[in-house]
Amino acid sequence: MSPGGIRASVCMATYKGSAYVAEQIESIVAQLGPDDELVIVDDSSPDDTAAVIVQTVARLNESRVFLTSTNENVGYVRAFEAAIRRARGRYVFLSDQDDVWTPGRHEAMIAGLSDALVVAGNHSILGRAGKRLWYPPLRDSTSSKHLLNLFAILIGYRPYFGCAMGFRREAIDGGILPIPAFVTESHDVWIAITGNVRGSIRHLERDVVERRLHDSNQTPLGVRGLGTILRARRMLVRAVLEAWRRALAAKRARR
């Protein structure tokens, strides 16, 4: 049982998100059950993001939303890590500040975790139903092809986005957390790596979120330079090795 009897925790990291965060909160709380929670960590936004969140929660008369702020700007990876540490649910889901959840997403994701440590769904572009970025969509048939998934991650060909991912509580300690210090971006890919290394990830073919694309996205949208790509690939190789190390350590501990 999770601490406090919480079923599912949705973890959101915010930073300069006042323009869209209210709509996202509304789309999330509309799907939460009475034993669910929304945990928000604001990463010392210099604008009125935190105030907008407080106003939105008050307007919705919500008691399932919990807001904290970092003492200084730590970046979205560490802000998400802080939110995950505060989560109390049996199931933990990630949410960006500026997207919109698709109807039925919450229960579908929970069902996807019935036999897997990590779940990942597809996404569409907000206002353009069925439209995606250039990535091929996730297929249920590749859920168990863990080595193929890891290879696809390394070449940048598997659309694992945190806004469409979740995991069981038992995947956190000694697996997902702590997020390695060298992982300075793509915390979502780190989570996907841990799920594939541990042989327990489920791909949902349905779109579970509509991503809002704009110039202020924290995740880069444009084409990256060769140097940036190579640094990112080296980081992912280190992440795979670290995930294997943790998995082996956990296996030895169970003996």
Side-chain angles (χ1 to χ4, degrees):
M1 179 64 67
S2 61
I6 300 298
R7 180 183 68 151
S9 298
V10 180
C11 295
M12 180 191 296
T14 61
Y15 181 71
K16 294 197 294 187
S18 60
Y20 308 115
V21 70
E23 183 180 4
Q24 173 65 310
I25 290 173
E26 291 171 2
S27 79
I28 292 172
V29 299
Q31 297 192 35
L32 297 185
D35 297 322
D36 299 336
E37 64 178 1
L38 170 58
V39 178
I40 305 174
V41 172
D42 182 68
D43 193 18
S44 297
S45 293
D47 63 359
D48 60 344
T49 297
V52 170
I53 294 171
V54 171
Q55 293 165 6
T56 302
V57 172
R59 174 170 54 82
L60 297 174
N61 193 27
E62 267 298 334
S63 61
R64 299 169 294 179
V65 182
F66 303 92
L67 170 66
T68 59
S69 298
T70 59
N71 294 325
E72 60 182 1
N73 182 255
V74 297
Y76 69 91
V77 172
R78 302 308 150 191
F80 270 114
E81 181 170 15
I84 293 169
R85 291 188 185 280
R86 288 172 170 77
R88 298 176 294 166
R90 294 196 303 273
Y91 311 107
V92 179
F93 303 104
L94 304 184
S95 170
D96 289 344
Q97 65 187 1
D98 46 10
D99 300 327
V100 175
W101 280 18
T102 58
R105 169 231 168 90
H106 193 54
E107 296 303 325
M109 296 283 278
I110 290 175
L113 289 172
S114 62
D115 57 357
L117 287 175
V118 177
V119 65
N122 288 303
H123 68 274
S124 60
I125 306 304
L126 185 61
R128 295 158 60 189
K131 300 295 184 180
R132 300 184 176 91
L133 297 177
W134 66 269
Y135 303 95
L138 294 173
R139 299 296 186 192
D140 180 64
S141 59
T142 59
S143 296
S144 60
K145 297 180 180 179
H146 307 299
L147 291 179
L148 175 63
N149 291 334
L150 290 171
F151 176 74
I153 287 172
L154 293 178
I155 64 173
Y157 202 65
R158 199 57 101 226
Y160 290 123
F161 288 92
C163 59
M165 294 180 67
F167 44 89
R168 299 178 66 95
R169 169 159 293 278
E170 52 265 40
I172 298 178
D173 294 333
I176 292 171
L177 295 187
I179 298 175
F182 62 81
V183 176
T184 56
E185 62 178 15
S186 301
H187 62 290
D188 40 14
V189 180
W190 162 250
I191 293 169
I193 286 172
T194 63
N196 279 294
V197 165
R198 297 177 73 170
S200 187
I201 190 169
R202 172 79 185 280
H203 295 167
L204 298 184
E205 296 193 4
R206 63 179 289 167
D207 291 337
V208 298
V209 66
E210 293 182 276
R211 294 189 68 207
R212 189 191 304 270
L213 303 184
H214 53 87
D215 291 340
S216 299
N217 281 111
Q218 293 295 303
T219 302
L221 298 177
V223 177
R224 295 174 140 193
L226 179 59
T228 301
I229 292 173
L230 291 177
R231 284 192 296 273
R233 295 298 171 265
R234 285 197 295 268
M235 183 190 73
L236 292 177
V237 170
R238 291 183 66 186
V240 170
L241 295 175
E242 173 61 16
W244 278 113
R245 186 194 67 78
R246 293 187 187 187
L248 291 174
K251 186 176 181 179
R252 287 194 295 267
R254 290 194 297 267
R255 290 176 179 172

